Amino acid sequence: MLKQRRMVAEQIAGALFEAEAAIDAALAKTAALTGVMPALRQQAGASALIGQDAVERASQAIMALAEARRAIVETHKELSVAQDQMGLGAVTLQGDGGQKPPPSGLETEQVRMRRLRIAS
């Protein structure tokens, strides 16, 4: 049973890491697009009015991707709680190699409260 839970956790972790990477890549590419448009417009000698709507739309896309990134990070945190709930707290699942920051006091309190609710 533990082996099955670990296999499930590894599959979920793989899908999570892919989703995180995709959002990061989309955010980086959209930011690059947003940054290059004014420079190329200026290089072409076009008025500042040209392409303004496109710059604004791309900026909106960056904000939407930033919100998506926040949501996937929150998903990651919730899956860490689920990992503990499944008895896999000591299992290390491989991500992108980046170090996780230490949990803030609020995050620690939230996790503690979830565990208390589960235990009761």
Side-chain angles (χ1 to χ4, degrees), residues 26-38 51-67:
L27 185 57
K29 297 235 181 242
T30 306
L33 168 66
T34 305
V36 78
M37 286 190 288
Q52 178 59 30
D53 289 344
V55 170
E56 290 176 10
R57 296 292 178 254
S59 296
Q60 289 173 350
I62 290 172
M63 288 303 300
L65 288 165
E67 289 177 26

Side-chain angles (χ1 to χ4, degrees), residues 82-117:
Q83 181 180 359
D84 287 344
Q85 292 169 344
M86 292 176 60
L88 298 172
V91 175
T92 302
L93 301 172
Q94 299 301 312
D96 62 5
Q99 292 290 332
K100 287 185 182 179
S104 70
L106 177 60
E107 290 172 9
T108 303
E109 182 65 17
Q110 289 171 342
V111 169
R112 189 179 72 75
M113 292 305 291
R114 281 191 198 105
R115 287 184 183 147
L116 287 174
R117 281 196 301 266

Side-chain angles (χ1 to χ4, degrees), residues 7-30:
M7 285 178 23
V8 166
E10 287 173 356
Q11 288 176 326
I12 291 170
L16 172 67
F17 300 146
E18 287 179 14
E20 289 173 340
I23 292 170
D24 282 349
L27 185 57
K29 297 235 181 242
T30 306

